[in-house]
Amino acid sequence: MCGFTGFIDFKREYKASQLDKITQKMAAEIDYRGPDDWGVWSDESCGVSLGHRRLSIQDLSPLGHQPMQSVSGRYWMVYNGEVYNAPDIRQELEGKGCQFKGSSDTEVMLTAFDVWGVKKSVQKFIGMWGFALWDRQDKALILCRDRLGIKPVYWGMNKHTLFFGSSLKSFRSHPQWAPGLDKDALSSYFRFSYVPAPYSIYQGVKKQKPGTIITIKSQDNIQEEEYWSMQDVYNKGQTAPLEISDKDAIDQLEVILKDAVDKRMLADVPLGAFLSGGYDSSLVVALMQSQSQKPVKTFSIGFNEADYNEAQHAKKVAAHLKTDHYELYVSPAQAQSVIPDLPKYYDEPFADSSQIPTYLVSKLARQHVTVSLSGDGGDEFFAGYNRYSLGMDVWRKLRKIPGFMHNPLSLALDKMPSNVWESLAQLIPASKRPKNISSKIQKLSEVLKMDSGIDFYKSLVSQWIHPDILVQGGQEKDLDLWNLKPQGSNFTSHMQLLDSLTYLPDDILTKVDRASMAVSLEARVPLLDHRVAEYAWQLPHNMKVRDGKSKWILRELLYRYIPKEMMERPKMGFGVPIDSWLRGDLRDWAEDLLSEKSLNKTGILNPDPIREKWIQHTKHHKNWHYSLWPVLMFVAWHRYYK
């Protein structure tokens, strides 16, 4: 796990020593992604320079140093990630007569490129990666991102310079870096709380799409090729789902997941796992412990606010599995102290508030281990989000309400103050009481206005329904996902696909990568092994949702390791009480950022709609924290980088 950066000077303005010096500064910007080692390599004749920061995980010796050259001398590479089946590929290559100096997966990858070429090699790899490969023979830069987008790759032109790397931040040290903010991308950010791929917050700079190879031979010769497609895998599964018994399906999933977990336990440094006490992380830890000769180290964050605290559940699971468990209860002051540093670690505006506990649990884990496994991915592939089950149930019922009643009913819901809904919620038993009910009611009022399933989904994932009103001269990007025509008629599966293509890489995986890398911790995600994705999309829908319960097959597998009664409880998100914090301890901080003077000072934002929601929120008329948090994170980011 590391960070890389680099550039191509198409004007050939720099000498070799200048190339090295610039790239060294660029790599220094992301030293926290790789504190153990650094290196640069440049070719003055081509104007190309590669930089690397290393977090040593496998082969801790100098033989794992990057940039690394292939045996043939054709390729130089900088790389971020892990190829978990590198030992198997190495054995196959040794059978062909290849020899190795060290034990790093980097050396295995480069040898594979020499023997099979890039595309065939990456199709063999199991893991997560973003890499930049300079082909000395073809005078071409090759960028590649893993199938699911676990690791980041940014690239783009600025003047006559091509930039590429793990982090936008690294580009700032280059003398030719003069980016312009993309107002249209900013509008899209305010809808989603993240800038959706392939865009970035800067004009001319993109996020590479997962599962692609980009080959750059000149400014005018750039080719993108797909080597793996989530939508193709989905369509295949919808067209020809598996005909399989419940027991055989669970058995087969167990085999795949055990191998996925086992491969991710390979490391030359201490290893552990995040444990929230939910189904996904508990299953990952259970499969780890079943394959470990000693107690697995597990880590949980707790909050004193009951609605946000899962630590007691995690502790029970840890006790049952006999792990070496660590937990930290965080005060509001401790959690809030993280917030000023968030812009430093998130290259773009990013506003999933669970970034706060994710950073805190990563920081806790890093005190004991260098690698931690995570349970991310189960919701997308096995239909775990509430919007899949409850959302579709609400949508079907709303369709039965006569159309002429939709707008009046929506207006009535809008007029009810949020504190009234929260008071009414207290009448519901605590075990069944939905969290943030006022926010859900606001979502419901918007859903009433929607005419189609895709508009329904769009409203569910939107923090601002009309984000263009916030950005002066901004017009939201036209995204391909709104025009997807996936196979099958099951709209829940359709929503799963949309989330897997957008929310998963652009929100969940961005959050985990940046938060863990901020403390030099490698996070591994076995549920996002591409073999798990391919198997999950082949399963019939009733193996994901059955009898009103989501993730049916994951639950049934987990019950082989943990008693059912220990796990049966309402789903909780990994969040923090931002709504009450904004009215309390964070109010002065938020007021400073959301003041009319501050908003005007950005030269980008329209203050009126923002101020209106802020005033309503502070007076308890409405709970607008989902809308306000993206604005706060953007203004904080804008101040930091300006």
Side-chain angles (χ1 to χ4, degrees), residues 80-82 122 125-131 143-153 208-213 227-228 505 509 525 528 530:
N80 166 32
E82 299 285 349
V122 297
F125 296 164
I126 297 172
M128 57 182 184
W129 61 83
F131 65 74
L143 303 174
C144 184
R145 192 178 183 195
D146 64 71
R147 296 173 181 87
L148 280 86
I150 302 170
K151 293 285 98 185
V153 179
Q208 183 167 354
K209 293 181 181 178
T212 61
I213 298 169
Y227 67 87
W228 190 87
L509 294 175
V525 279
L528 293 180
H530 74 278

Side-chain angles (χ1 to χ4, degrees), residues 404-442:
F404 71 88
M405 294 182 62
H406 286 192
N407 283 338
L409 184 55
S410 174
L411 186 62
L413 293 174
D414 277 339
K415 285 185 175 297
M416 188 76 76
S418 62
N419 55 348
V420 174
W421 290 118
E422 297 297 344
S423 297
L424 291 173
Q426 300 305 309
L427 302 175
I428 304 172
S431 61
K432 298 180 179 180
R433 186 184 307 148
K435 189 166 60 174
N436 291 322
I437 190 170
S438 60
S439 297
K440 291 178 172 60
I441 294 295
Q442 285 161 208

Side-chain angles (χ1 to χ4, degrees), residues 195-232:
V195 179
Y199 307 105
S200 83
I201 195 62
Y202 296 122
Q203 296 173 0
V205 181
K206 297 181 178 180
K207 298 184 186 76
Q208 183 167 354
K209 293 181 181 178
T212 61
I213 298 169
I214 297 174
T215 303
I216 303 167
K217 294 186 177 180
S218 71
Q219 289 178 259
D220 302 316
N221 188 350
I222 300 175
Q223 298 176 345
E224 182 179 64
E225 181 181 13
E226 200 169 51
Y227 67 87
W228 190 87
S229 165
M230 179 78 76
Q231 187 172 355
D232 287 350

Side-chain angles (χ1 to χ4, degrees), residues 27 42 91 95 110 117 129 209 491 589:
S42 303
Q91 188 174 16
L110 282 164
W129 61 83
K209 293 181 181 178
F491 191 68
W589 169 80

Side-chain angles (χ1 to χ4, degrees), residues 211-417:
T212 61
I213 298 169
I214 297 174
T215 303
I216 303 167
K217 294 186 177 180
S218 71
Q219 289 178 259
D220 302 316
N221 188 350
I222 300 175
Q223 298 176 345
E224 182 179 64
E225 181 181 13
E226 200 169 51
Y227 67 87
W228 190 87
S229 165
M230 179 78 76
Q231 187 172 355
D232 287 350
V233 170
Y234 168 88
N235 286 338
K236 181 180 178 181
Q238 294 295 301
T239 303
L242 289 174
E243 295 182 7
I244 191 171
S245 70
D246 287 352
K247 182 181 183 304
D248 287 347
I250 299 168
D251 289 345
Q252 192 167 333
L253 178 61
E254 184 172 27
V255 170
I256 296 170
L257 277 178
K258 285 190 78 169
D259 186 64
V261 168
D262 180 60
K263 280 182 164 54
R264 285 158 180 80
M265 293 174 69
L266 178 65
D268 295 331
V269 292
L271 176 143
F274 301 142
L275 179 60
S276 70
Y279 284 92
D280 301 338
S281 66
S282 297
L283 179 57
V284 168
V285 171
L287 294 175
M288 288 178 73
Q289 193 60 73
S290 71
Q291 300 175 91
S292 176
Q293 298 300 315
K294 57 184 180 180
V296 171
K297 294 183 184 296
T298 53
F299 307 95
S300 299
I301 289 290
F303 292 95
N304 293 315
E305 294 91 344
D307 286 347
Y308 294 86
N309 185 42
E310 289 192 286
Q312 73 271 27
H313 304 296
K315 192 172 185 177
K316 291 177 182 178
V317 171
H320 178 80
L321 295 174
K322 297 181 172 59
T323 70
D324 182 11
H325 190 59
Y326 300 83
E327 65 178 17
L328 173 67
Y329 271 77
V330 181
S331 69
Q334 286 175 291
Q336 292 158 19
S337 68
V338 172
I339 294 172
D341 290 330
L342 293 176
K344 176 181 177 181
Y345 300 120
Y346 289 83
D347 300 310
E348 304 178 272
F350 183 81
D352 181 337
S353 61
S354 62
Q355 63 200 122
I356 299 170
T358 304
Y359 172 84
L360 290 168
V361 76
S362 297
K363 188 175 182 180
L364 171 65
R366 189 61 178 91
Q367 296 172 19
H368 306 275
V369 300
T370 311
V371 176
S372 185
L373 272 64
S374 168
D376 294 295
D379 288 317
E380 287 80 6
F381 295 155
F382 297 96
Y385 290 126
N386 288 332
R387 61 173 169 263
Y388 300 151
S389 52
L390 296 177
M392 283 308 299
D393 185 51
V394 168
W395 175 249
R396 283 191 292 266
K397 289 177 179 177
L398 289 178
R399 293 305 88 197
K400 296 178 182 179
I401 300 175
F404 71 88
M405 294 182 62
H406 286 192
N407 283 338
L409 184 55
S410 174
L411 186 62
L413 293 174
D414 277 339
K415 285 185 175 297
M416 188 76 76

Side-chain angles (χ1 to χ4, degrees), residues 405-596:
M405 294 182 62
H406 286 192
N407 283 338
L409 184 55
S410 174
L411 186 62
L413 293 174
D414 277 339
K415 285 185 175 297
M416 188 76 76
S418 62
N419 55 348
V420 174
W421 290 118
E422 297 297 344
S423 297
L424 291 173
Q426 300 305 309
L427 302 175
I428 304 172
S431 61
K432 298 180 179 180
R433 186 184 307 148
K435 189 166 60 174
N436 291 322
I437 190 170
S438 60
S439 297
K440 291 178 172 60
I441 294 295
Q442 285 161 208
K443 284 282 187 185
L444 177 59
S445 72
E446 292 294 340
V447 166
L448 280 163
K449 304 171 187 175
M450 303 304 161
D451 296 322
S452 68
I454 194 69
D455 287 338
F456 163 72
Y457 171 83
K458 193 173 182 179
S459 71
L460 291 180
V461 299
S462 298
Q463 311 310 326
W464 289 82
I465 298 296
H466 304 291
D468 290 349
I469 66 171
L470 275 67
V471 184
Q472 297 176 19
Q475 185 173 356
E476 191 178 0
K477 298 286 189 182
D478 184 20
L479 301 179
D480 292 341
L481 78 154
W482 305 134
N483 303 312
L484 285 181
K485 303 294 181 185
Q487 297 288 327
S489 58
N490 186 311
F491 191 68
T492 297
S493 296
H494 190 168
M495 287 194 289
Q496 286 179 254
L497 174 63
L498 293 172
D499 278 343
S500 298
L501 292 171
T502 56
Y503 181 67
L504 178 62
D506 293 341
D507 185 305
I508 299 297
L509 294 175
T510 297
K511 172 187 68 181
V512 173
D513 174 79
R514 307 305 192 274
S516 59
M517 283 282 85
V519 295
S520 305
L521 177 78
E522 173 169 302
R524 297 178 175 178
V525 279
L527 294 179
L528 293 180
D529 189 304
H530 74 278
R531 298 170 299 167
V532 177
E534 291 170 353
Y535 181 67
W537 287 128
Q538 294 179 68
L539 291 172
H541 184 68
N542 74 343
M543 288 189 177
K544 300 169 188 173
V545 180
R546 186 177 297 186
D547 299 327
K549 291 187 177 181
S550 62
K551 294 195 283 197
W552 177 84
I553 192 170
L554 278 186
R555 292 171 186 254
E556 293 301 311
L557 176 54
L558 180 61
Y559 298 151
R560 294 181 175 182
Y561 297 88
I562 299 175
K564 182 176 181 179
E565 57 270 18
M566 186 177 292
M567 299 303 304
E568 288 291 295
R569 57 187 177 83
K571 179 179 176 62
M572 291 179 68
F574 192 38
V576 289
I578 291 292
D579 55 340
S580 60
W581 287 1
L582 290 178
R583 298 186 184 105
D585 292 343
L586 286 181
R587 183 162 179 169
D588 290 344
W589 169 80
E591 179 59 50
D592 174 53
L593 293 171
L594 298 181
S595 69
E596 189 166 357

